[in-house]
Amino acid sequence: MARVLFFLALIIAAASAFVAPAGQTSLAGPAFTRAAAPEAPKMMIEGADIAISNVAANANLIATSVGDNGGYFFPIAGIGALAAFILFLAPPLADE
């Protein structure tokens, strides 16, 4: 029963990813309206090159030791969760 409820919740969560937000429905406008004239895209905004060079020069943004950003907890928890999921899905071996 728990497995059925889990898969039902999983299907509902996956289906909710494809629902359009309330204010931005895909069929909101008339079908045959004239679109605005296309304009050339702006590849970089003013001052972006300075901001990028400042970020690259700042070494404090990079995790440099084991204790930064949670340490070993998230990798170990992720591997443990993956192992638990594989164990949950593995069928029991039948004696022949």
Side-chain angles (χ1 to χ4, degrees):
M1 181 66 182
R3 187 180 287 184
V4 172
L5 291 176
F6 173 73
F7 284 119
L8 181 64
L10 187 66
I11 290 171
I12 290 172
S16 67
F18 296 104
V19 176
Q24 302 173 356
T25 58
S26 60
L27 301 174
F32 297 106
T33 57
R34 183 173 295 252
E39 59 183 59
K42 297 175 182 157
M43 300 309 275
M44 288 185 68
I45 55 175
E46 295 291 327
D49 53 348
I50 297 170
I52 291 171
S53 65
N54 288 340
V55 169
N58 191 358
N60 291 332
L61 294 176
I62 301 171
T64 57
S65 68
V66 174
D68 292 346
N69 300 326
Y72 290 125
F73 174 73
F74 291 109
I76 292 173
I79 290 171
L82 182 63
F85 185 64
I86 291 171
L87 186 64
F88 175 71
L89 293 178
L93 297 175
D95 292 334
E96 292 187 41

